[in-house]
Amino acid sequence: MLKKLFQSFRSPLRKPQQHVRTTPEVLSGSQHSLQRNQFSRYAVNIVERLQTAGYQAYLVGGCVRDMMLGITPKDFDVATSATPEQIRAEFRNARIIGRRFKLVHIHFGREIIEVATFRANHPIDDEDEDSNQSSRNESGRILRDNVYGTLEDDAQRRDFTINALYYDPVTERVLDYANGVHDIRNRLIRLIGDPQQRYKEDPVRMLRAVRFAAKLDFGIEKHSATPIRPLAPMLRDIPSARLFEEVLKLFLSGYAEATFEMLVDLELFEPLFPASSKALEYNPTYTHTLISEALANTDLRIKQNKPVTPAFLFAALLWPALPARVLRLQERGMPPIPAMQEAAHELITEQCQRIAIPKRFTMPIREIWDMQERLPRRSGKRADLLLENPRFRAGYDFLLLRESAGEETEGLGEWWTDYQDANDSGRRDMIRDLGNKPDATGQGPRKRRRSSSGKRKRAGVDGAE
Ligand code: ATP
Ligand code: MG
């Protein structure tokens, strides 16, 4: 009762600053660079059909933003006043999808256009707290969000000004409710409304700010950046499955290296990867180099249209956190290999509480790490068996990554590079040479010729002596 009274006093203060106009700035065809034939013809066609049927309909969000920046959009989104059921009634190839909010996917062969009904920001007044369509928790986080609204409402509930531009391909006009065009010109990520409140409503917006800043090479506007550090811990309460999706978008969009730097700087890395964040503190150079190299490598592969696996990425992000755990278990009397196994298991289990990495990825992470234990043991038939292992390539790439971050492996990466290149007799020689090495694990002279000359030049091999 008292709480309710207190809240009703507080309510007016909690009203958002309205940065969204009720009448938009309208840019005519000559005032912007967009051309309707640059957009997906299916998306344009959907807008036309919805308008003909008497609804409002626009291209919106990422596609308008990217097109204004000369970037090829990933996909095309349509926003409309028609409800999902009304949209479906217009298009035979439409399917209603979505749990968090209902959306319609319209299929044209392989292309899918997402059509969303205008939605309203969650009403902030206390009396709406119990409504069926929307609800918040005590920290202000929106838990459900399925309230339909007007075009103006729809602009206001969007996250950033640059994401709230509406393009009408029929009249070729752009509607700008939140000064998004100004922010595109000035290359700024700016939240619509009161930044602190908008982050509290949905803390994932902090990650989105970083993602767009890295992808577009934009700055985060001062007032939108300031609340991030204090609010970063709120990410701990986000469902781990949603964070998994977001983390993939952060690291698999081709700008992972820049994204990582920004996440660390804005203290968003800690709530996502707590153990790796600790490793960054007590072993900064190695941890930073290993993760950055892995991400730079991922970015390059994406630019070259090569496949990338989330397992390799997570294996790299978590690897620097392993040694401290292995050591702790060894100090408790566990032998090295079981300690490594147990540490890997603990680390992945803990990480999955934050980010729900599916089993189809956690298994290969373990295998990539196990491979690191096995790659030094090459004697007899072991090397050939390892080469046949389906996880060899990832394990070998991971070994090279560790070396490039400064880990001392006594030339193991180069040995494996040579072994793969060698013919049968060369391989036999290399294995035989292993027998001459000082210890039993297989490190040591790469080639007999060199080992007898005693003039090894490579640092890794020198270290074996
Ligand atoms: P891209 O698809 O290129 O990554 P995008 O801007 O299209 O970028 P989406 O995640 O596809 O991003 O979202 C589409 C639009 O929905 C955004 O442009 C934004 O307007 C809105 N939106 C998405 N997520 C949120 C959110 N958490 N809060 C507010 N608005 C959001
Ligand atoms: Mg999109």
Side-chain angles (χ1 to χ4, degrees):
M1 177 67 190
L2 254 180
K3 190 174 160 219
K4 194 87 184 161
L5 188 70
F6 181 59
Q7 279 176 345
S8 68
F9 280 125
R10 263 191 337 176
S11 274
L13 297 175
R14 284 166 46 205
K15 286 249 183 276
Q17 289 162 250
Q18 303 293 320
H19 285 208
V20 171
R21 323 148 184 251
T22 37
T23 46
E25 183 166 346
V26 181
L27 285 82
S28 67
S30 60
Q31 291 171 299
H32 61 75
S33 59
L34 305 180
Q35 280 174 353
R36 62 180 266 150
N37 60 10
Q38 296 171 305
F39 288 82
S40 149
R41 66 191 169 96
Y42 301 122
V44 171
N45 182 260
I46 290 169
V47 170
E48 284 171 345
R49 277 174 65 182
L50 285 167
Q51 289 188 2
T52 308
Y55 303 106
Q56 290 170 284
Y58 297 90
L59 288 152
V60 69
C63 68
V64 182
R65 175 199 70 214
D66 288 355
M67 218 55 123
M68 281 203 170
L69 287 161
I71 300 171
T72 310
K74 253 184 11 203
D75 42 37
F76 294 87
D77 296 328
V78 171
T80 176
S81 58
T83 63
E85 290 72 18
Q86 288 169 329
I87 301 165
R88 197 174 46 184
E90 292 294 323
F91 299 91
R92 267 190 306 116
N93 44 346
R95 265 182 230 153
I96 297 182
I97 57 133
R99 278 190 304 160
R100 242 167 80 79
F101 16 75
K102 273 193 200 169
L103 297 166
V104 180
H105 276 179
I106 306 187
H107 294 252
F108 298 90
R110 284 227 212 120
E111 197 171 329
I112 298 175
I113 308 291
E114 195 166 284
V115 185
T117 306
F118 294 148
R119 290 208 310 271
N121 223 342
H122 174 87
I124 192 149
D125 301 323
D126 293 322
E127 49 273 26
D128 291 315
E129 290 283 319
D130 300 329
S131 106
N132 274 337
Q133 285 82 28
S134 57
S135 70
R136 284 165 190 261
N137 69 2
E138 302 101 59
S139 59
R141 184 154 69 84
I142 293 180
L143 302 176
R144 263 173 297 135
D145 171 12
N146 208 2
V147 189
Y148 296 138
T150 61
L151 171 58
E152 292 74 20
D153 294 331
D154 192 77
Q156 181 170 330
R157 64 99 195 161
R158 288 182 185 270
D159 45 8
F160 305 107
T161 59
I162 59 168
N163 286 347
L165 294 167
Y166 296 76
Y167 177 58
D168 179 347
V170 178
T171 60
E172 302 205 62
R173 292 191 311 180
V174 170
L175 307 188
D176 182 359
Y177 283 91
N179 283 332
V181 173
H182 172 271
D183 286 338
I184 285 187
R185 290 203 182 113
N186 291 288
R187 309 186 76 81
L188 281 178
I189 306 291
R190 186 196 309 265
L191 270 175
I192 295 171
D194 175 54
Q196 179 153 326
Q197 185 195 320
R198 298 305 309 281
Y199 289 137
K200 282 185 175 174
E201 282 173 1
D202 182 3
V204 167
R205 287 174 186 150
M206 296 187 275
L207 299 179
R208 290 175 58 85
V210 169
R211 177 154 72 86
F212 293 126
K215 167 179 161 167
L216 306 172
D217 194 19
F218 274 30
I220 304 178
E221 181 274 331
K222 201 174 85 209
H223 296 94
S224 295
T226 314
I228 294 183
R229 285 188 192 90
L231 295 180
M234 283 188 79
L235 284 176
R236 293 187 192 138
D237 300 326
I238 300 298
S240 54
R242 183 166 179 221
L243 281 189
F244 175 71
E245 297 298 327
E246 287 300 325
V247 165
L248 285 194
K249 284 189 203 160
L250 283 169
F251 291 137
L252 293 179
S253 306
Y255 305 90
E257 203 188 355
T259 300
F260 169 62
E261 298 298 340
M262 231 180 283
L263 288 176
V264 172
D265 180 39
L266 292 170
E267 296 172 19
L268 292 164
F269 189 66
E270 198 282 335
L272 297 177
F273 293 94
S276 314
S277 180
K278 274 211 191 74
L280 261 181
E281 267 170 46
Y282 56 72
N283 200 355
T285 311
Y286 170 73
T287 306
H288 192 272
T289 314
L290 185 118
I291 295 178
S292 299
E293 293 256 346
L295 298 177
N297 201 13
T298 309
D299 290 344
L300 186 67
R301 290 183 67 91
I302 290 171
K303 283 191 185 79
Q304 297 169 336
N305 281 322
K306 290 186 183 164
V308 285
T309 152
F312 191 87
L313 206 66
F314 281 105
L317 282 159
L318 295 173
W319 175 260
L322 264 182
R325 274 157 203 267
V326 177
L327 213 65
R328 208 165 58 221
L329 293 168
Q330 278 186 271
E331 278 165 8
R332 284 195 224 143
M334 210 182 261
I337 295 203
M340 168 81 181
Q341 299 282 340
E342 178 60 22
H345 172 74
E346 274 180 16
L347 182 58
I348 290 180
T349 311
E350 264 176 49
Q351 181 60 47
C352 283
Q353 285 165 7
R354 288 290 161 85
I355 295 176
I357 309 170
K359 230 195 175 105
R360 67 177 186 283
F361 298 128
T362 58
M363 292 290 281
I365 295 172
R366 292 291 302 267
E367 286 161 7
I368 290 169
W369 288 349
D370 284 347
M371 234 344 140
Q372 307 312 301
E373 287 290 323
R374 296 165 67 184
L375 286 171
R377 287 188 274 274
R378 294 153 285 172
S379 54
K381 293 218 176 325
R382 282 176 176 164
D384 287 329
L385 285 173
L386 278 175
L387 265 189
E388 285 166 21
N389 188 310
R391 212 55 78 185
F392 172 81
R393 183 72 211 191
Y396 162 74
D397 284 346
F398 200 82
L399 171 65
L400 297 185
L401 174 68
R402 289 166 51 210
E403 289 181 346
S404 70
E407 234 182 283
E408 180 50 77
T409 66
E410 301 176 331
L412 189 57
E414 202 166 1
W415 189 94
W416 276 109
T417 307
D418 291 346
Y419 194 76
Q420 292 172 80
D421 289 343
N423 59 21
D424 277 352
S425 80
R427 286 183 180 182
R428 274 198 301 278
D429 285 349
M430 287 177 76
I431 298 294
R432 200 169 47 236
D433 282 348
L434 292 174
N436 301 335
K437 67 190 168 31
D439 59 46
T441 56
Q443 279 101 330
R446 187 175 69 122
K447 283 179 186 153
R448 205 187 217 167
R449 191 165 20 97
R450 291 210 190 171
S451 77
S452 56
S453 77
K455 283 186 194 158
R456 277 173 238 119
K457 292 195 184 72
R458 288 156 302 131
V461 176
D462 285 339
E465 294 277 281

